[in-house]
Structure formats: C-alpha cells, structure tokens
Amino acid sequence: MTAMRIEDFELERFFARYEFAVRHLLCASDVEGWSMADLLALADTESAELWHDLRLGYTEPLGHPLLRREIASLYETVTEDEVLVFSGAEEAIFVLANVLLGPGDHAIVGWPSYQSLHEVARFAGAEVTLHELRGEDGWTIDVERLRGELRPSTKLIVINAPHNPTGSMPDLSTFRAIVDLAADAGATLLVDEVYRFLERDPLDRLPAGADAAPHGASIGVMSKSFALAGVRIGWLATHDARLLDAAARFKDYTTICASAPSEILSIIALRARDVVLGRSRSIVEGNLALLDPFFERQAGRFRWVRPRGGPVGFPELLGGVPIDRFAEDLVEAAGVLLAPGSIFGHRANHFRLGFGRTDMPQALEAFEAFADRTLPRDR
Ligand SMILES: Cc1ncc(COP(=O)(O)O)c(C=O)c1O
C-alpha cells in the first residue's frame, strides 16, 4: 500500500509567494498585528512580572495554567482543565482530524473553506463530503442538505463561523439544528471560531461549540480577532475529556508544548481583551465604512454578500473577466493582492477580500483606480 500524501495548501503556498513581496495585502484574514511595545503596555502587575521573570525552558504540555484560565473565561461553561493550548489554530486542526478520524470514517466540512479543515481529514484516511455554501443562499449552511449528507460512518462535522472566506454565519436556530444533527449522528461538532468576537452585530454571536453540547468542540486562536498572529497560540476547548486526552497525546509528536514568550503575551492580551478586541473592531468597522460605498459605486463590476462577521468577504467579479487574470494583473500593476477563489478550489469568479489591515484604505484606492482603468463600466 502506498502512503497517502497531503495535498499542497494552496492558500498558504500563495501567501508564501506573495505575502512579504507585495505593497498591499487586500486579502489578509488577520487583523493588523499589535506592536510588542503597545501590547506590553497593557500588562497588569502579575503578567508584567511573568514577562520579566520568564525562563525560556520548555513549557507545560497542556499550556500555561494562567493562559488556560484566561482562555476558559472566553466560554460560558468551560473550565481551564477543558482547554488544550496549541501552536496556532492550524496545529489544533491537524491534531483533531488525526485523532478523530481514520480509514472507514466520514467527515462533513463546510466549503469553500480554509483548506486544512477538509484536507487533513482526507489525509487521515477519512472520506470527506464538502458541504457547499452557495452565494445565492447568502453562503449559509443548508441543514436539510446537511442531514442528507450524513452517513452511519459520519464521525465529524466541521463548521467555521464567522466563516473564511465569506464572512457568513448561521443564525441561532440553524446553529442549534446543526448541534442536534451532530448529536443524532453521534458525531463531534467542531466549530472553528477563530473569527469569534468580530461579529458585526454582537447579538449575532453564536454560542461557542464547546458550550453548546458535550459533543461540541471549539477551536480558537490569538491570530485573528485578537490581532496577534505572530504569537502562534491557538487552542481546543471542549467538555469531551477523551478528545482532550487524545489530542494531548498526539501533540507530543507535533510541538510538545507552546512557545514560552508567546504564552505570556497571550495572557496579557486576553486579560486586556476589551481593549484588544475594541481595537480590532474599530479597524474592521472603519474599513467596512469604505467598502460599503465602494460596492455601491462598483455595482456593475463587483458584488458581495456583506460579511456578518470576521475580517474577510468573498466578492464576485462580474462581466466576464476571469478573476485569476484580473488578480494577477492587479498585483503586477499596483502591488495589491487579492486571493482568487481558485485557491479555495472554487470555480466561480469570486475572490477573498480582507479588511482587517490598517492600509486597507490605500489598498482599496489603488484597487479601484485599477478597476476603473481596466474594466468596462457596465456588464
Ligand atoms: C478558518 C481558519 N481556521 C484556522 C486558521 C489558522 O489560524 P493560524 O494560522 O493562526 O493557526 C485560519 C487562518 O487563516 C483560518 O482562516
């Protein structure tokens, strides 16, 4: 038998090529990162001492107890013993798919999506059904279709809300229906919540997967809403003790434990979460205030479903110019990077647009000038 190979992660290969070479990333999914000095200025007395006295040895495999306590406090019902710290959400995804799935198992994953959410499941040997989100439905999950996709072997359902790349979120009744459906199927419901706390309307915030049910699991990270992608700290939160234990055992083969400075920086940020999240929301809202009139002005050329959460959306280029070619010409001529839908394996003419960065106004201006120069006004 030949060993299964993991496919290239198209989006990450794309960023490896462009991220540090272009003037403006108009497709980033994180929020503008904090400077070290600004973040350290937020430290309370205890965390300032932790930082100052830090020894750079190995750290606790489950995560720093104070970090796990701060993470647990983001949830309604989760205790610090129900949190496992990872090096980024990416490690959590990799480990969870590997411990939950194997040959003969089936997983359903919302799609288009962050590729690892389905590719690692396939790599682990599972059969994967991509539950397609459709623009004409506002990119929402179709519960009845999802029910039809279940099999006796379904072990895992993965959703991502707020969603990358569309910014969609199920409403509460849809979310509850998905939780019940996973319970009936005896499957784990894994909710990738890396964009949680960036809902346009805080009333739209869904219960966390970990709080919603014993078979629910939440993945979180410092990279997106908390604007600290460089610390590479993520986590799993769940009441499922067996899953936590299996994930901790698997992590011995990936990173063993998280970075010591990053754990303390994350404690500082989580203790100052009101300031940290307030800054992220204000960057995103300021940028959306420019994007709304942009999509009105450019209605003949671009259309989007306005994202209900997170810092990304998935607009469509209208009028017949292929988005791959347009994006290539744009980056060449103006140094502005869009992420064409093909990177997600999506065949229609969409692209990911990110609005979490502070240079978005300049990026949008250069993008619009290029569109005005090169695209016909009307379809
Ligand atoms: C939905 C989703 N999950 C997980 C991740 C991985 O986060 P990190 O790179 O911080 O580990 C990303 C990053 O873009 C993402 O968009």
Side-chain angles (χ1 to χ4, degrees):
M1 194 177 106
T2 50
M4 180 96 70
R5 293 188 69 87
I6 198 157
E7 295 285 338
D8 274 358
F9 198 139
E10 297 295 340
L11 180 75
E12 300 300 347
R13 289 293 89 213
F14 180 78
F15 275 117
R17 176 169 166 208
Y18 286 115
E19 182 168 4
F20 296 98
V22 299
R23 209 168 311 137
H24 297 295
L25 285 182
L26 192 51
C27 56
S29 65
D30 56 352
V31 174
E32 186 80 32
W34 279 77
S35 76
M36 191 75 156
D38 288 347
L39 183 66
L40 287 176
L42 297 179
D44 60 15
T45 311
E46 185 186 33
S47 46
E49 270 171 28
L50 287 171
W51 180 247
H52 187 261
D53 299 340
L54 183 65
R55 288 191 161 268
L56 297 172
Y58 282 107
T59 60
E60 293 198 33
L62 300 179
H64 194 299
L66 292 179
L67 175 58
R68 292 162 71 213
R69 189 190 296 170
E70 291 305 324
I71 293 169
S73 72
L74 296 170
Y75 300 88
E76 299 283 326
T77 60
V78 171
T79 67
E80 60 201 67
D81 296 334
E82 295 171 321
V83 171
L84 176 59
V85 173
F86 283 105
S87 298
E90 183 73 323
E91 187 189 20
I93 293 168
F94 188 82
V95 168
L96 284 172
N98 273 287
V99 301
L100 283 166
L101 299 169
D105 294 333
H106 175 241
I108 307 175
V109 183
W111 180 87
S113 83
Y114 191 63
Q115 190 176 334
S116 54
L117 291 173
H118 55 84
E119 176 57 18
V120 185
R122 193 196 63 80
F123 178 59
E127 282 193 41
V128 178
T129 298
L130 299 177
H131 176 86
E132 187 178 351
L133 311 176
R134 297 172 181 160
E136 60 270 26
D137 304 335
W139 304 115
T140 53
I141 292 166
D142 181 331
V143 176
E144 283 321 304
R145 188 153 42 85
L146 187 63
R147 192 185 310 280
E149 289 162 350
L150 286 173
R151 299 182 194 170
S153 57
T154 306
K155 287 269 180 56
L156 177 65
I157 299 174
V158 182
I159 65 171
N160 166 215
H163 179 247
N164 172 12
T166 68
S168 69
M169 291 166 45
D171 59 26
L172 184 58
S173 66
T174 304
F175 178 75
R176 295 263 182 233
I178 299 166
V179 172
D180 291 348
L181 201 134
D184 293 347
T188 297
L189 175 65
L190 178 60
V191 190
D192 180 324
E193 296 164 357
V194 300
Y195 302 103
R196 198 156 185 261
F197 307 111
L198 278 186
E199 299 79 6
R200 292 299 88 77
D201 179 349
L203 293 176
D204 279 349
R205 184 165 311 142
L206 293 167
D211 287 324
H215 63 286
S218 295
I219 286 181
V221 83
M222 296 307 294
S223 309
K224 312 292 183 179
S225 313
F226 295 99
L228 288 170
V231 301
R232 312 303 303 127
I233 291 283
W235 60 86
L236 161 70
T238 180
H239 295 309
D240 183 340
R242 280 176 48 190
L243 179 56
L244 278 165
D245 184 53
R249 289 167 192 277
F250 197 95
K251 191 182 141 187
D252 293 340
Y253 286 101
T254 51
T255 60
I256 305 173
C257 62
S259 144
S262 293
E263 288 198 318
I264 309 303
L265 295 170
S266 300
I267 293 170
I268 293 171
L270 288 170
R271 286 186 176 177
R273 69 189 65 162
D274 289 348
V275 176
V276 171
L277 292 172
R279 170 185 172 277
S280 297
R281 283 194 205 108
S282 103
I283 293 172
V284 162
E285 276 160 25
N287 286 338
L288 275 168
L290 298 175
L291 286 167
D292 286 333
F294 168 86
F295 281 105
E296 271 173 35
R297 282 194 303 274
Q298 296 285 341
R301 296 173 177 152
F302 300 99
R303 122 180 110 198
W304 78 344
V305 178
R306 192 178 198 264
R308 293 179 61 215
V312 291
F314 205 44
E316 184 178 7
L317 168 61
L318 308 168
V321 176
I323 184 61
D324 289 86
R325 203 183 76 209
F326 178 80
E328 220 175 292
D329 292 347
L330 173 68
V331 77
E332 190 74 18
V336 174
L337 190 68
L338 300 176
S342 55
I343 289 168
F344 297 88
H346 201 259
R347 283 172 306 280
N349 220 33
H350 295 262
F351 57 98
R352 188 173 82 181
L353 188 146
F355 44 92
R357 296 291 181 93
T358 48
D359 68 346
M360 199 222 68
Q362 295 78 28
L364 188 66
E365 205 180 307
F367 168 42
E368 186 162 25
F370 182 78
D372 285 339
R373 258 198 331 272
T374 61
L375 294 174
R377 167 63 37 203
D378 292 306
R379 275 186 281 169

